[in-house]
Amino acid sequence: MASRSLEMIDYTSLIRRNQQIDWAFGIGGVVVLVIALGTLITLLTDLAIDGLSRIDMQFLSSFPSRRAAEAGILSSIVGTTLVMIVTAALAIPLGVAAGLYLEEYAPKNAVTDVIEVNVTNLAGVPSIIYGLLALGLFVYALGLGQTIVVGGMVLALLILPVIIVATREAVRSIPQAVREGSYALGADKWQTMQFYILPAARPGILTGAIVGLARAIGETAPIITIGALTFIAFLPPSPIQTTFPFISFEWLWSPFTVMPIQMFNWVSRPQAAFHINAAATGVVLMAMTLLMNGLAIWIRYRIRRTMK
Amino acid sequence: MHRHCWLATAAAVAFVATAGVADAQEATVLIDGSSTVFPISEAMAEEFQKSTGIRTVVGLSGTGGGFKKFCRGETNISGASRPIRTEEMELCKENGVEYIELPVAIDGLSVIVHPKNDWAECMDVADLKMMWEPDAQDKIKNWKQVREEYPDAPLNLFGAGVDSGTYDYFTLAIVGKEHSSRGDFTATEDDNVTIQGVAGDINALGFLGLAYLEENRDKVKPVAIRQADGSCIEPTLETARDATYQPLSRPLFFYVNKAHADAHEHVRKFVEFVMDPKHGTELVAEVGYVPLPEKAFELGQKKFADRKTGTFFGGGSKVGVTIEELLASEG
């Protein structure tokens, strides 16, 4: 074998073989893609066929009811929206701050290593565990009750690792030259962060935030665990008041329900009409997620334009 | 721009801090508990809130989860698909929660088979026991093993998940011991899965709540159960209500916190609303459950008015208890 000389290698066949491997991999990729997308499209179409015709103003503006035809998702749409607002308001600032600190400020030592490993691990903890934690800590120990604020807090905890990791990735990808340029102009560290690093990292952070929020919006287990309701036929107090100070945060302390709980309840009912309601709720939930995604893409697009 | 963000956040935090927790506590009837009882609670809550304007909310924690909250005094009423258990009684006692046990409806657990199954028309409890008892695991796998005249076909079992009150009651009534059965059957928390499983397999047998059977009579058919007198009784609204369908008729309960009923008019009003024969019959039937017999409402009202606390069952289920017996007892 060792005596085989260079001239004996058949380059044409070697190239052909490599091209075949290339080609096979390409085909394999397409097959996998078709399977994955096909499953997704089948699921979505199935949901849309079942649910789309049920969505009308009555469905969107009614409270749950024992009669499938009169039932609606008003309280759960409002609940989901408010909980997501709390989640975003807590998780994004905290997650970005933590990510930025870990990437730019934290000294590289054993403690930071342990924190880093655990942040990544936290992203894989089943959501029900967060629910149990929130039940013990927020609901009972801190006495916050089964309220929107607790719902927002538990989902914020759940997606915090996602946002932290995304922020770190985004910050890490910014060239060192940007920092050096900023320091050369006499900026201190925070100014560098504020005017150069954070704006440049915003698209990546935004993507992380959306991935996190999209996960949070579909969660049922932790929300049920903290004691969210299923039947609730009134809305939280309005945030805008007619009397001074015109703005109220009382809604934070309201009992609530969210759309995945409503779906979960309807899916397990015996009557087929409720199953259609569940499908319709699924369509609305997906539309909300897409809307959120669209919003993020639009913001990212605007940021990119202004940065150029 | 950033500064504004921080200011807004600070303002928000300040407002939240001053808003206080107690502000949103308008008089509200708080109900939680079993998912089996949920449709009844929901119907009652919906109509009660419509007619009185009193806010009524219902959670879906399951019977066990519901009792945990109830025994902490967090809810006014807990729906239960089985009687309160010993450990739950102790928890209530520790927290000084006294409760009034009221049946609100009846559920007829139904044994179902594929519509084309022409051999399992009427079965004895003993047949079912043979299929479901723990010893049957890995042994009873063919219909022929249950009875000679049954065909030589595999026996595929479907049933309620082991955390459900449905499973507990079925095992008690059939196997003779609560929460004890073979483990090799398709267990699901969603009875619709049992329907699908049985509807798609001619050799299957499953059990579930009567409401699921009623909605799917075109896909599955019930098995009649041979009674002590030798007659074969199918599960229907009528046979469950007049207690001729045995031993798989079971009561569903509301547990009412006595102190809350004493202290809050809205809780009292709600219980009276539920125990009104008109609501108790119409609303319960509308959501697919079996209403209590006529006499039961009067007895229930009396039991509530007298605030008779405690449970009739002493910490476990009992098979074949009539609603009248249950309500007439001193508890």
Side-chain angles (χ1 to χ4, degrees):
Chain A
M1 290 297 272
S3 66
R4 214 167 90 169
S5 67
L6 219 60
E7 289 89 326
M8 282 181 71
I9 299 177
D10 182 353
Y11 283 105
T12 342
S13 75
L14 185 66
I15 289 169
R16 195 181 301 124
R17 220 186 61 219
N18 283 345
Q19 276 174 336
Q20 274 167 353
I21 292 173
D22 228 20
W23 188 75
F25 184 78
I27 294 290
V30 168
V31 168
V32 170
L33 201 66
V34 165
I35 292 173
L37 278 181
T39 317
L40 184 70
I41 289 169
T42 318
L43 268 174
L44 294 190
T45 324
D46 186 50
L47 199 67
I49 288 171
D50 284 348
L52 216 49
S53 57
R54 179 70 185 87
I55 300 172
D56 51 19
M57 271 322 284
Q58 179 276 326
F59 187 66
L60 296 176
S61 64
S62 301
F63 290 115
S65 166
R66 69 182 180 284
R67 298 196 183 101
E70 286 172 22
I73 51 172
L74 180 61
S75 42
S76 48
I77 289 186
V78 172
T80 290
T81 311
L82 294 179
V83 168
M84 292 314 287
I85 289 173
V86 176
T87 304
L90 290 173
I92 297 175
L94 280 178
V96 172
L100 195 63
Y101 174 79
L102 283 177
E103 197 59 34
E104 294 282 336
Y105 288 81
K108 296 271 171 269
N109 57 28
V111 180
T112 332
D113 283 348
V114 170
I115 292 176
E116 276 176 17
V117 169
N118 281 302
V119 165
T120 324
N121 279 344
L122 276 181
V125 170
S127 57
I128 185 103
I129 307 290
Y130 286 96
L132 291 172
L133 167 81
L135 181 70
L137 189 65
F138 302 149
V139 177
Y140 292 134
L142 298 180
L144 295 177
Q146 286 105 6
T147 52
I148 288 176
V149 70
V150 172
M153 280 160 85
V154 62
L155 293 183
L157 277 188
L158 183 74
I159 65 170
L160 207 50
V162 179
I163 297 181
I164 293 177
V165 170
T167 304
R168 298 190 61 189
E169 297 288 336
V171 168
R172 198 177 303 155
S173 67
I174 297 167
Q176 196 59 28
V178 173
R179 294 178 185 80
E180 283 159 2
S182 171
Y183 290 137
L185 289 170
D188 64 22
K189 193 156 191 178
W190 174 244
Q191 283 169 330
T192 306
M193 295 300 133
Q194 189 182 355
F195 295 113
Y196 295 97
I197 304 299
L198 276 180
R202 251 188 311 201
I205 294 174
L206 214 56
T207 309
I210 287 300
V211 169
L213 289 177
R215 179 179 171 195
I217 203 171
E219 280 293 340
T220 322
I223 297 280
I224 285 203
T225 313
I226 62 156
L229 298 161
T230 306
F231 175 81
I232 175 166
F234 54 87
L235 294 179
S238 163
I240 297 153
Q241 302 286 319
T242 49
T243 53
F244 186 79
F246 303 112
I247 190 162
S248 154
F249 284 92
E250 237 176 75
W251 56 267
L252 283 173
W253 309 105
S254 277
F256 69 104
T257 186
V258 293
M259 292 162 74
I261 295 186
Q262 207 56 249
M263 276 183 79
F264 171 70
N265 167 35
W266 280 337
V267 156
S268 60
R269 296 290 276 269
Q271 292 83 4
F274 279 116
H275 304 165
I276 291 170
N277 281 3
T281 314
V283 173
V284 176
L285 192 63
M286 245 162 26
M288 282 175 81
T289 315
L290 280 179
L291 207 72
M292 235 162 46
N293 272 315
L295 194 71
I297 292 168
W298 180 71
I299 295 175
R300 200 161 54 194
Y301 171 72
R302 272 198 40 183
I303 293 170
R304 286 221 177 106
R305 234 181 22 181
T306 50
M307 281 190 42
K308 270 173 192 163
Chain B
M1 192 211 152
H2 281 274
R3 205 152 299 142
H4 288 299
C5 275
W6 291 116
L7 273 179
T9 315
V13 170
F15 267 114
V16 171
T18 51
V21 180
D23 279 335
Q25 299 298 321
E26 195 180 315
T28 307
V29 184
L30 306 167
I31 309 167
D32 205 329
S34 161
S35 53
T36 309
V37 187
F38 179 83
I40 298 172
S41 317
E42 182 185 53
M44 295 287 179
E46 186 185 1
E47 280 309 305
F48 180 70
Q49 184 170 327
K50 256 185 210 156
S51 66
T52 63
I54 297 169
R55 292 179 161 190
T56 310
V57 298
V58 190
L60 194 60
S61 300
T63 301
F67 272 129
K68 269 189 199 125
K69 287 184 188 166
F70 179 78
C71 290
R72 281 204 190 95
E74 289 171 25
T75 51
N76 305 133
I77 293 166
S78 210
S81 59
R82 55 159 173 81
I84 188 166
R85 287 215 181 106
T86 316
E87 60 269 26
E88 291 156 351
M89 290 161 67
E90 272 158 21
L91 184 64
C92 271
K93 206 170 177 185
E94 265 170 40
N95 296 315
V97 171
E98 286 189 288
Y99 46 85
I100 304 156
E101 181 181 68
L102 296 170
V104 287
I106 305 166
D107 186 18
L109 290 188
S110 310
V111 177
I112 53 163
V113 291
H114 192 273
K116 290 212 176 96
N117 177 321
D118 55 2
W119 59 90
E121 296 279 345
C122 178
M123 293 180 82
D124 294 336
V125 171
D127 298 337
L128 290 167
K129 181 173 191 228
M130 193 186 221
M131 284 181 183
W132 285 97
E133 65 189 351
D135 287 344
Q137 180 144 352
D138 298 327
K139 269 200 301 208
I140 309 294
K141 294 172 124 176
N142 194 301
W143 280 92
K144 210 167 181 56
Q145 287 171 286
V146 181
R147 257 199 233 173
E148 269 302 301
E149 64 263 35
Y150 285 165
D152 181 13
L155 173 66
N156 302 322
L157 296 171
F158 293 81
V162 297
D163 287 329
S164 66
T166 307
Y167 172 80
D168 284 348
Y169 192 84
F170 183 82
T171 47
L172 177 72
I174 297 300
V175 178
K177 189 167 170 240
E178 200 167 342
H179 207 75
S180 151
S181 79
R182 69 193 297 170
D184 53 347
F185 69 100
T186 308
T188 166
E189 298 298 333
D190 182 355
D191 285 350
N192 289 310
V193 175
T194 304
I195 292 279
Q196 273 173 13
V198 175
D201 180 358
I202 192 166
N203 298 319
L205 178 139
F207 67 88
L208 35 61
L210 182 58
Y212 291 86
L213 167 66
E214 292 293 345
E215 285 297 324
N216 295 286
R217 279 197 183 264
D218 52 333
K219 291 185 200 143
V220 296
K221 73 169 186 182
V223 175
I225 306 289
R226 196 182 310 280
Q227 304 297 309
D229 63 1
S231 62
C232 283
I233 304 284
E234 266 191 33
T236 63
L237 292 176
E238 292 73 34
T239 56
R241 192 173 192 198
D242 63 18
T244 49
Y245 179 65
Q246 292 293 350
L248 288 170
S249 294
R250 61 166 174 170
L252 303 174
F253 303 94
F254 270 178
Y255 284 79
V256 183
N257 185 315
K258 176 176 173 280
H260 291 181
D262 285 337
H264 303 297
E265 206 197 347
H266 56 268
V267 178
R268 269 199 306 280
K269 273 192 175 161
F270 181 80
V271 177
E272 281 155 15
F273 184 91
V274 171
M275 279 293 132
D276 182 306
K278 186 172 176 298
H279 307 135
T281 316
E282 283 172 13
L283 293 178
V284 167
E286 199 183 331
V287 295
Y289 287 88
V290 185
L292 299 177
E294 289 294 336
K295 260 191 299 179
F297 293 102
E298 216 174 290
L299 291 167
Q301 284 162 4
K302 189 166 179 310
K303 185 173 183 184
F304 179 65
D306 296 347
R307 301 282 194 276
K308 272 188 203 159
T309 58
T311 172
F312 171 76
F313 296 91
S317 260
K318 279 179 195 159
V319 171
V321 175
T322 67
I323 300 292
E324 284 89 344
E325 268 171 29
L326 201 166
L327 281 164
S329 81
E330 285 301 314

